[in-house]
Amino acid sequence: MTFPIRDDALTLMDELSAIRRPLLLLRTARHGTVDYNRATDLRRILRTPATPRPGVATVRALIELEARHENLRTRAPQDGGDPWRAARHIEVLIALIAEAQVVTQGLRAVPRI
């Protein structure tokens, strides 16, 4: 018997483990998780009127947003457009790390059959 929520979360963890970012960005984001306040920070980062429920969908939204910031960071300088903002990228990474931790804690609570 399989649990669809568990399978989604495991697939999500595989996606997260495939993300490669500069060590300085990741270290900074990990330090920032100490001050992360889900109720206010997540709503601001995702620009939603209410704080989204914890889970796979929230982490996927953060993965997509972080990928957009990564594209800004790695694009050619002559491409122009919106500038990459390191602080904003780090805020998104902080939320992504913290929300992924919430999902993994939920996985530990689901019994394995």
Side-chain angles (χ1 to χ4, degrees):
M1 178 175 188
T2 62
F3 294 94
I5 294 171
R6 183 178 176 79
D7 293 343
D8 286 348
L10 291 174
T11 302
L12 181 71
M13 293 303 122
D14 289 340
E15 290 175 33
L16 287 170
S17 66
I19 294 175
R20 300 288 177 246
R21 299 297 178 259
L23 190 56
L24 182 59
L25 276 177
L26 293 176
R27 281 185 181 164
T28 305
R30 282 189 205 117
H31 286 298
T33 59
V34 173
D35 296 324
Y36 178 71
N37 181 333
R38 183 173 202 287
T40 56
D41 296 339
L42 185 59
R43 188 175 68 220
R44 180 180 43 79
I45 289 166
L46 292 178
R47 296 184 171 130
T48 59
T51 304
R53 292 177 44 181
V56 174
T58 300
V59 176
R60 285 201 195 283
L62 288 166
I63 288 172
E64 291 173 16
L65 182 58
E66 192 279 330
R68 283 187 244 143
H69 285 283
E70 182 64 9
N71 286 335
L72 290 174
R73 186 184 73 80
T74 58
R75 73 169 180 224
Q78 65 270 19
D79 288 347
D82 289 337
W84 174 68
R85 292 179 176 90
R88 176 79 174 140
H89 194 167
I90 291 167
E91 285 178 335
V92 174
L93 282 169
I94 289 168
L96 180 56
I97 291 168
E99 293 298 317
Q101 288 172 345
V102 170
V103 171
T104 57
Q105 289 169 356
L107 280 178
R108 291 184 196 127
V110 175
R112 292 182 183 221
I113 297 178

